[in-house]
């Protein structure tokens, strides 16, 4: 996604890739972070609540507001030069179902998640509606919780062990990425992004550090110029986005997926 990882050596390559892009302009309170509690699954999938991800009070569940039927899958007809066979729509739909179940239960074997990634990447779906679905039509945009990260070339992967939430604001072209540690505190990065086709490149401008009940400390990264982010900066290549999940690969080759979530602020 932007950068990549370390544990999936590609997605979280820097805290500024997965762990550096989420939140709203109002600082989020980690102890009150919740995600959406319901997801629309294809037939025969039992709806369950996503379990707590962190020992603290941070809770995550799949969003049950703003839900709609999964965006129809439109697999491009063109043959991809990189792959000999393009998955058909049914294969893609089954793979999406696997990821949605993984987001709800965190019990789907990693091999199945990796296979689903492979199918979705090869399909090269039409990205024309991706940005609006990812970042909404007005500020502050939409928030997504990181579920699973995979290594380069899908050689391994795992469920992400912490609560990491990204915010994408399509109207304001803003990105925020945060790691939330319950009552202990949180670390967030905020900046700007550009979008071209399916590529979202970004530059982080500041870091916010919050410890316990104290107000956050904001540190500038000295990136306030007007330069538009490009492929020399961290970026995500998006393969699939609907109202419930999103799949992307980072600059260094790691793949990950998120589920749509929301923040609940206390009075």
């Amino acid at each position: 996604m932007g950068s990549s990882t370390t544990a999936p050596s590609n997605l979280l390559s820097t805290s500024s890739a997965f762990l550096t892009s989420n939140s709203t302009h109002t600082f989020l309170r980690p102890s009150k972070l919740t995600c959406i509690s319901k997801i629309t699954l294809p037939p025969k999938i039992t709806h369950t609540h996503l379990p707590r991800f962190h020992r603290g009070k941070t809770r995550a569940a799949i969003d049950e507001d703003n839900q709609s039927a999964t965006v129809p899958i439109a697999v491009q007809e063109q043959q991809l030069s990189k792959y000999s066979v393009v998955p058909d729509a049914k294969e893609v739909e089954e793979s999406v179902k696997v990821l949605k179940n993984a987001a709800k239960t965190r019990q789907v074997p990693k091999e199945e998640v990796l296979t689903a990634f492979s199918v979705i990447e090869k399909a090269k779906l039409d990205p024309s509606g991706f940005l609006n679905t990812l970042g909404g039509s007005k500020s502050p945009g939409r928030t997504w919780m990181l579920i699973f990260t995979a290594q380069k070339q899908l050689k391994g992967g795992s469920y992400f062990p912490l609560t990491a939430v990204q915010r994408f604001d399509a109207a304001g072209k803003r990105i925020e990425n945060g790691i939330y540690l319950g009552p202990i505190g949180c670390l967030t990065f905020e900046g700007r992004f550009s979008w071209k086709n399916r590529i979202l490149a970004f530059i982080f401008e500041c870091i916010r550090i919050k410890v316990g009940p104290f107000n956050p400390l904001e540190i500038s990264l000295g990136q306030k110029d007007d330069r538009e982010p490009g492929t020399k900066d961290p970026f995500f290549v998006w393969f699939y986005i609907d109202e419930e999940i999103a799949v992307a690969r980072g600059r260094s080759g790691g793949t990950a997926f998120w589920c749509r979530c929301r923040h609940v602020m206390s009075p």
Side-chain angles (χ1 to χ4, degrees):
M1 315 134 220
S3 299
S4 299
T5 33
T6 312
S9 59
N10 320 287
L11 282 227
L12 296 174
S13 64
T14 343
S15 43
S16 46
F18 279 162
L19 315 185
T20 30
S21 49
N22 159 43
S23 222
T24 24
H25 292 292
T26 53
F27 203 73
L28 301 177
R29 299 184 185 179
S31 63
K32 296 298 181 180
L33 174 66
T34 57
C35 281
I36 297 167
S37 58
K38 180 182 178 184
I39 213 168
T40 303
L41 292 174
K44 300 183 181 180
I45 295 296
T46 302
H47 291 257
T48 58
H49 290 285
L50 190 66
R52 295 186 178 184
F53 290 178
H54 196 271
R55 296 177 185 174
K57 296 182 180 179
T58 302
R59 294 187 299 117
I62 297 179
D63 197 345
E64 75 186 3
D65 293 332
N66 302 316
Q67 290 296 311
S68 63
T70 300
V71 174
I73 295 173
V75 180
Q76 294 181 354
E77 297 293 331
Q78 65 188 57
Q79 191 76 8
L80 303 178
S81 58
K82 187 176 179 180
Y83 304 100
S84 57
V85 178
V86 178
D88 61 26
K90 184 175 181 180
E91 290 178 283
V92 176
E93 289 171 353
E94 288 300 314
S95 296
V96 169
K97 181 173 71 173
V98 167
L99 297 186
K100 290 183 178 182
N101 193 32
K104 288 178 63 67
T105 68
R106 287 182 168 247
Q107 298 298 315
V108 175
K110 68 178 182 180
E111 293 78 13
E112 293 184 27
V113 175
L114 295 173
T115 297
F117 280 172
S118 179
V119 169
I120 290 171
E121 288 184 20
K122 292 176 182 179
K124 290 292 182 181
L125 305 180
D126 177 8
S128 59
F130 281 6
L131 179 58
N132 188 62
T133 305
L134 182 70
S137 58
K138 59 184 179 179
S139 297
R142 294 179 172 182
T143 48
W144 301 78
M145 181 173 61
L146 182 62
I147 301 297
F148 189 100
T149 58
Q151 299 170 15
K152 188 175 183 179
Q153 297 180 342
L154 304 179
K155 291 183 177 179
S158 62
Y159 289 93
F160 197 73
L162 302 176
T163 299
V165 179
Q166 286 73 36
R167 176 177 63 88
F168 300 96
D169 178 359
K173 295 294 179 68
R174 302 294 295 175
I175 178 174
E176 195 168 17
N177 189 355
I179 286 291
Y180 297 86
L181 304 175
I184 296 174
C186 57
L187 171 69
T188 65
F189 294 71
E190 183 178 351
R192 61 188 183 277
F193 74 78
S194 65
W195 178 275
K196 184 176 182 180
N197 274 333
R198 62 179 72 243
I199 299 175
L200 184 153
F202 59 91
I203 296 173
F204 288 114
E205 300 166 348
C206 68
I207 302 174
R208 294 189 186 96
I209 303 169
K210 180 173 173 60
V211 179
F214 302 103
N215 291 329
L217 170 67
E218 182 170 318
I219 302 172
S220 173
L221 297 176
Q223 298 287 347
K224 290 293 187 178
D225 56 64
D226 295 328
R227 180 176 69 83
E228 182 176 86
T231 52
K232 291 184 178 180
D233 300 302
F235 63 80
F236 295 111
V237 180
W238 297 91
F239 296 107
Y240 183 86
I241 302 173
D242 68 14
E243 294 291 337
E244 299 163 15
I245 65 167
V247 181
R249 180 191 296 153
R251 182 175 63 177
S252 60
T255 301
F257 91 95
W258 297 256
C259 74
R260 177 88 176 277
C261 68
R262 59 178 173 171
H263 295 289
V264 177
M265 303 293 291
S266 61

